[in-house]
Amino acid sequence: MTEFKNTESELHKFRMRITAAVLFVVLCFSLLVARFVWLQVVRHDAYAAQAEENRISLVPIVPNRGLIMDRHGVVLARNYSAYTLEITRSKLNGKLEDVIDDLSHIVNIDAKDRRRFKKLMDDSKSFASLPIRTRLTDEEVARFTAQRYRFPGVDVQARLFREYPLGDVAAHVIGYIGRISQKDAAAIEDSDDAANYKGTDYIGKEGLEKSYEHYLHGTTGYEEVEISASGRAVRTLSRTSAIPGDNLILSIDIGLQKVVQEAFGKNRGALVAIDPATGDILAYVSQPTYDLNMFVDGIDQQSWDELLNSPDHPLINRPMNGTYPPGSTYKPFMALAALELGLRKPQDAIRDQGFFMLGGHKFRDDVPGGHGIVNMSKAIIESCDTYFYMLANDMGVNAIYDFMKPFGFGQLTGIDLEHERTGLLPSPAWKKRTFKTALRQKWLGGDTISLGIGQGLNAFTPLQMAHALATLVNNGIVMKPHLVKTIEDGVSHKLTETVPKESYRIPLKQENIDFIKNAMVAVTHSGTAARVFAGAGYESGGKTGTAQVFTVKQDEKYNRHTVSERMRDHALYTAFAPADHPRIAIAVIVENGGFGATAAAPIVRKALDYYLLGKLPADSALNASAPDDAKKDSKSEATATAVEQPAPDQPSDNPDATTDATYKTGAETAGNKE
């Protein structure tokens, strides 16, 4: 039977399908038009800016770091450019060790480079570019460039490097720079200067490099660079030049610094020399020292451990962080206090029998039978302990504290380096505040007696000793000690002085100052330093000192030959010259050196000979070196443990235990030959 199709029905279905298809197409085009309007009209400005950013890259231009020079223009820290081989771990295709092994067949990478790189990885973020080798030769750059395609994530970069031409000379003054660690980066982000460190890899870590970072760094510049879709730079659209950092002109005389460092030899200790009239620090020596260049590329772990664990503690900045009893160098200040307070007249004399008794304790002089009849001048010249025991007992601790404080003993000097220690100018209030038990908090008469000869609880830095002497010979005018004399603008070269004015004045009678200075001059003629300064071509004043490291019992006699080297007395000497118009004041300590006259005074003699006469020691290795080898080429266990002990203003968890050894030293004091 034949079946007929319903034409009308088929036609209706066809029309419905056509209508649905048309509606679907219209809807799709409507969506496309709506999206086009959204992108091109509503969001036009935002996406146009993003497209421009993708086309234009802002590349930071790292500024040249400022130079550091001594007072005569000798360059102590400078910059140079070199190629480095750098690895970005996040971009590597293979294992890091495998990549380094492969690289070592092209560029020499030794064990030290690997250790340093590992330390840098520990201190940096995973995506940071880190150097595996620095100072590549042209040949090494060429070899790597030829095979660069094999090493994604590895590249050669041109970098500016810091160099310290004199190595270990004035290391504790100059300090060093190092790569910015995560801790440094966090501090920079929290500062107002974060934008200025874009593209910067290095920052000051120690010394003046750190304390003057703001001046040395400069201002970062920027280039607007057009880049292709592949990220390759096409052309530079604009450029804002970087502004170089300011130059630091130090007060240090680097020639004097070298002479002193050489004079120390293998001894440990510190020396600070100051111009009394200006506060300029002429020499700042901490021995032993270390080579600053080890830190520039990132010191390897082995070298770091050797420095950190050395029993000689080369990393400690002894002039401002080491605290020591001043010994007999304190006696001129005690004598001046007696004159100013009216407790003694110059002609007042005592009979010294070789000891002073107080409460059943014998405080001995270095001369068993005593010095005989002793007035103030003789007490300073011959360093008579008994005279100053009696003086301290009569003066009392509070008067000693009040007189010594303005001279800077136990006070921050304000030197332009970070982390200066206060030392300790003891007082009953300090003792009560520091110790826990009532017995230890009580101030004893023996505590005061020991202060009179610079022993006991006294603990000052060599910087404080030099600063105090400079103030005395400057007739009580206090000048803030400083290392940076002038800051030179990196662009205009305008010079700005750092400390142009006096800090304050101590009201002292000129006749009293003159008497003390004359007595110290006599020390170099007929006193404890006479032999060392015989034949000097200038007139100087000085005072020897010996500081005990451990207590000598009343029935024992100190013998330096029977004790271990690190338990021997510290040797001190303070000096000023010329006597009539002092241009230099010096304080030196030789740890475990023994007598001040034999270990410390000869160092000062060499320093004064050079500074005043331009004379080098006959046996000095400096005679064979060029005098301008780095000239400007572009525009004791107890107190060597005192070096390590907590600062007095920052007591340890157990202050009773920490200061016990020092406390005992003041209870039974034996005088020492100086």
Side-chain angles (χ1 to χ4, degrees):
M1 180 176 172
T2 304
E3 183 178 350
F4 295 98
K5 294 182 179 180
N6 189 336
T7 305
E8 287 296 327
S9 176
E10 292 290 333
L11 186 60
H12 177 72
K13 291 179 180 179
F14 177 75
R15 288 171 179 165
M16 292 294 291
R17 290 171 183 159
I18 291 295
T19 301
V22 170
L23 290 174
F24 178 76
V25 171
V26 170
L27 178 63
C28 289
F29 272 99
S30 297
L31 291 173
L32 288 174
V33 170
R35 182 63 176 168
F36 178 80
V37 171
W38 172 258
L39 294 175
Q40 295 295 325
V41 179
V42 179
R43 298 286 293 170
H44 174 270
D45 292 341
Y47 287 115
Q50 288 186 22
E52 188 68 11
E53 288 176 359
N54 290 334
R55 184 179 71 89
I56 299 174
S57 176
L58 282 178
V59 180
I61 304 171
V62 180
N64 284 337
R65 194 171 180 86
L67 304 178
I68 300 178
M69 297 168 280
D70 89 327
R71 67 190 297 119
H72 301 302
V74 178
V75 176
L76 308 178
R78 62 189 176 195
N79 311 303
Y80 70 96
S81 60
Y83 290 107
T84 67
L85 184 64
E86 302 193 2
I87 297 177
T88 305
R89 287 171 288 169
S90 59
K91 296 181 180 180
L92 296 180
N93 288 341
K95 292 182 179 180
L96 175 62
E97 288 300 325
D98 294 340
V99 171
I100 294 176
D101 289 339
D102 291 342
L103 284 171
S104 65
H105 294 110
I106 303 172
V107 175
N108 181 43
I109 300 175
D110 58 26
K112 187 175 181 179
D113 294 322
R114 293 173 185 257
R115 291 196 300 267
R116 184 181 64 244
F117 185 76
K118 183 179 185 303
K119 190 174 188 302
L120 289 174
M121 286 195 300
D122 294 338
D123 295 337
S124 305
K125 297 179 180 179
S126 60
F127 53 82
S129 175
L130 300 176
I132 184 69
R133 257 293 310 281
T134 58
R135 301 180 182 88
L136 297 176
T137 65
D138 292 341
E139 182 182 350
E140 287 175 322
V141 172
R143 286 204 306 266
F144 172 78
T145 302
Q147 302 192 48
R148 179 179 177 183
Y149 67 92
R150 296 175 48 203
F151 300 98
V154 184
D155 206 352
V156 170
Q157 299 284 351
R159 301 283 190 186
L160 278 176
F161 286 90
R162 197 67 157 171
E163 182 183 33
Y164 304 100
L166 301 184
D168 65 355
V169 178
H172 297 84
V173 173
I174 303 167
Y176 54 85
I177 65 170
R179 291 188 68 88
I180 295 176
S181 65
Q182 294 186 43
K183 183 178 179 180
D184 295 327
I188 291 171
E189 285 299 320
D190 293 338
S191 71
D192 298 331
D193 209 22
N196 197 33
Y197 279 83
K198 297 295 183 183
T200 300
D201 294 323
Y202 294 87
I203 195 171
K205 296 283 189 176
E206 291 291 340
L208 295 174
E209 289 276 29
K210 182 178 182 181
S211 57
Y212 281 83
E213 170 67 25
H214 175 72
Y215 295 94
L216 290 166
H217 178 264
T219 303
T220 299
Y222 290 92
E223 276 187 343
E224 280 191 331
V225 179
E226 184 177 1
I227 58 174
S228 65
S230 62
R232 185 174 62 86
V234 176
R235 60 178 174 140
T236 299
L237 302 177
S238 66
R239 177 185 176 93
T240 301
S241 298
I243 301 175
D246 297 335
N247 301 322
L248 303 183
I249 302 173
L250 308 188
S251 58
I252 293 288
D253 183 325
I254 208 62
L256 177 62
Q257 183 85 13
K258 289 180 181 180
V259 167
V260 173
Q261 285 192 205
E262 183 185 58
F264 263 92
K266 295 182 179 180
N267 292 316
R268 303 177 304 279
L271 179 145
V272 178
I274 301 178
D275 183 339
T278 63
D280 288 356
I281 296 180
L282 305 171
Y284 185 100
V285 175
S286 182
Q287 288 292 107
T289 182
Y290 57 92
D291 188 348
L292 293 171
N293 294 298
M294 292 192 299
F295 290 88
V296 174
D297 300 332
I299 188 170
D300 66 278
Q301 191 63 48
Q302 180 178 336
S303 299
W304 172 249
D305 289 341
E306 289 175 358
L307 288 174
L308 194 63
N309 299 322
S310 169
D312 293 333
H313 307 292
L315 295 176
I316 291 178
N317 192 325
R318 284 171 163 83
M320 72 171 192
N321 292 138
T323 57
Y324 311 84
S328 294
T329 64
Y330 204 50
K331 291 174 181 176
F333 294 93
M334 288 293 297
L336 181 61
L339 294 173
E340 288 289 326
L341 299 175
L343 295 176
R344 295 285 191 278
K345 295 179 181 178
Q347 65 271 21
D348 291 344
I350 67 163
R351 180 180 294 277
D352 175 23
Q353 299 178 357
F355 61 88
F356 176 74
M357 295 295 299
L358 181 71
H361 290 275
K362 180 183 288 187
F363 294 84
R364 294 177 295 181
D365 195 277
D366 67 295
V367 178
H371 293 262
I373 303 300
V374 180
N375 60 17
M376 183 177 287
S377 181
K378 184 177 178 180
I380 295 173
I381 296 169
E382 297 186 7
S383 200
C384 175
D385 289 339
T386 305
Y387 182 95
F388 290 98
Y389 291 147
M390 297 176 68
L391 176 58
N393 188 53
D394 292 344
M395 190 178 298
V397 60
N398 290 324
I400 295 174
Y401 179 89
D402 292 341
F403 185 83
M404 299 301 177
K405 184 177 178 180
F407 283 91
F409 288 112
Q411 316 300 313
L412 295 177
T413 66
I415 188 175
D416 42 352
L417 289 175
E418 296 184 3
H419 311 303
E420 180 187 4
R421 290 181 67 178
T422 59
L424 172 59
L425 179 62
S427 67
W430 169 84
K431 198 173 184 184
K432 188 174 183 179
R433 185 173 62 249
T434 302
F435 294 103
K436 295 179 180 179
T437 65
L439 179 62
R440 292 293 182 85
Q441 289 177 341
K442 184 179 179 181
W443 188 268
L444 304 176
D447 295 335
T448 303
I449 302 304
S450 298
L451 300 183
I453 63 165
Q455 291 282 171
L457 294 168
N458 284 323
F460 309 134
T461 66
L463 175 60
Q464 290 171 354
M465 298 178 204
H467 176 48
L469 180 61
T471 299
L472 190 158
V473 301
N474 198 34
N475 301 321
I477 301 174
V478 180
M479 300 299 297
K480 181 180 176 181
H482 54 276
L483 291 160
V484 176
K485 184 176 180 65
T486 310
I487 299 175
E488 181 185 37
D489 187 277
V491 177
S492 68
H493 303 295
K494 178 183 177 182
L495 301 178
T496 303
E497 285 189 340
T498 56
V499 187
K501 297 180 180 179
E502 65 186 60
S503 298
Y504 56 91
R505 296 193 179 202
I506 304 173
L508 301 171
K509 296 178 180 177
Q510 190 62 48
E511 62 267 27
N512 294 336
I513 295 174
D514 293 341
F515 176 84
I516 298 300
K517 290 168 63 176
N518 289 334
M520 295 181 71
V521 170
V523 169
T524 66
H525 288 282
S526 59
T528 52
R531 180 176 298 179
V532 176
F533 283 89
Y538 47 84
E539 194 80 280
S540 70
K543 185 69 193 78
T544 54
T546 302
Q548 291 180 327
V549 174
F550 70 98
T551 302
V552 179
K553 296 180 181 179
Q554 292 193 33
D555 57 348
E556 293 181 358
K557 184 177 181 180
Y558 172 80
N559 186 340
R560 69 186 300 269
H561 301 291
T562 62
V563 298
S564 63
E565 186 267 339
R566 291 180 185 267
M567 294 301 290
R568 295 173 185 168
D569 293 342
H570 298 320
L572 300 99
Y573 191 73
T574 57
F576 61 91
D580 56 346
H581 186 69
R583 292 164 44 203
I584 183 171
I586 299 180
V588 60
I589 183 165
V590 180
E591 292 179 7
N592 312 117
F595 304 140
T598 56
I603 295 176
V604 174
R605 171 66 189 268
K606 292 178 180 179
L608 294 180
D609 282 355
Y610 176 82
Y611 189 71
L612 299 176
L613 306 177
K615 178 182 176 183
L616 287 171
D619 58 347
S620 173
L622 299 174
N623 285 308
S625 62
D628 54 353
D629 52 357
K631 278 288 182 184
K632 190 175 181 181
D633 56 1
S634 65
K635 191 57 198 157
S636 93
E637 214 58 63
T639 54
T641 68
V643 171
E644 304 165 306
Q645 290 172 358
D649 56 319
Q650 298 173 327
S652 69
D653 293 335
N654 185 2
D656 288 23
T658 302
T659 56
D660 187 44
T662 310
Y663 172 78
K664 288 179 180 177
T665 304
E668 300 172 355
T669 305
N672 291 290
K673 183 179 179 182
E674 298 169 354

